[in-house]
């Protein structure tokens, strides 16, 4: 499906997004994605999601092959989340392999965010020559993370975020919390899809746990949300394997946010 026809309407819309992002006008950039003129973007906030009441692959009524594949992946990812020591087991010391996993990891965050309607506003990761493999994608809409960092800093002498009015400055909506949970596990899920394991990105799991604790979810509520988020994210990324792969290539070459979005749009499976 060539989305670049019709006078380059997609490219023009995304050039406008890039211009606003470069100026720090994130709300305007988000508005341009939500209401492109003329309508040209089909993937933003358009992901088909797993209903919140669904907690297992069997309830999705997929083919036998897909059910078996996703069962195995879901169990492996949840096990990795529950047992942090698995993140370092069988780790390959090849820096190039590590770098490839970092790129896939960030592509997972980016793609899930875009398809759920969360604007990626900036990304960065190390080059092949740099062996630190430091990477991240920043999103507009998750500004509460800065607030959480401030809370953690104020409680730096404690291992747990204190409950109560001072620590919990605002209540996140269930929609925002659900999107965040999916985006934050997107990197881990993408690695398992591409390589069958994760190379040690436990920081994302730790960040998710901190947010859930900050929002004072019970253990059962946190476990249920995490399980759903992994299942939902797994089905999204499994459905859009080509888009994830092509996006990883675009990220590797340092393409702009708008260009990366164009790559996503051109490689999505339809219906989304």
């Amino acid at each position: 499906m060539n989305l670049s026809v019709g006078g380059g309407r997609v490219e023009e819309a995304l050039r406008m997004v890039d211009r606003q992002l470069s100026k720090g006008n994130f709300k305007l950039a988000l508005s341009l994605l939500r209401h492109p003129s003329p309508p040209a973007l089909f993937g933003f906030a358009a992901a088909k999601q797993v209903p919140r009441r669904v907690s297992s692959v069997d309830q999705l009524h997929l083919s036998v092959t897909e059910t078996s594949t996703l069962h195995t992946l879901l169990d492996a990812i949840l096990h990795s989340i529950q047992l942090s020591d698995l993140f370092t087991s069988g780790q390959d010391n090849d820096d190039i392999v590590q770098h490839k996993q970092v790129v896939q990891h960030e592509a997972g965050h980016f793609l899930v965010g875009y398809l759920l309607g969360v604007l990626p506003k900036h990304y960065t990761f190390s080059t092949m020559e740099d062996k630190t493999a430091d990477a991240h994608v920043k999103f507009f809409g998750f500004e509460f993370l800065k607030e959480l960092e401030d809370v953690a800093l104020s409680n730096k002498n404690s291992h747990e975020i204190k409950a109560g009015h001072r620590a919990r400055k605002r209540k996140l909506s269930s929609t925002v919390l659900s999107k965040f949970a999916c985006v934050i596990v997107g990197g881990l899920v993408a690695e398992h899809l591409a390589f069958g394991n994760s190379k040690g990105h436990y920081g994302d799991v730790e960040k998710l746990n901190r947010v859930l604790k900050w929002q004072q979810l019970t253990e059962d509520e946190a476990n249920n949300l995490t399980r759903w988020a992994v299942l939902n994210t797994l089905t999204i990324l499994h459905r859009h394997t080509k888009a994830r792969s092509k996006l990883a290539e675009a990220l590797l070459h340092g393409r702009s946010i708008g260009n990366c979005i164009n790559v996503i749009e051109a490689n999505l499976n339809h219906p989304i």
Side-chain angles (χ1 to χ4, degrees), residues 1 16 21 122 129 132 183 222 234-235 258:
M1 183 176 184
M16 292 175 63
L21 288 176
H122 173 73
E129 292 74 25
T132 61
V183 172
L234 178 58
T235 59

Side-chain angles (χ1 to χ4, degrees), residues 23-34:
K23 297 176 182 178
N25 296 330
F26 303 125
K27 288 185 178 180
L28 184 51
L30 179 61
S31 179
L32 290 171
L33 286 179
R34 285 176 171 169

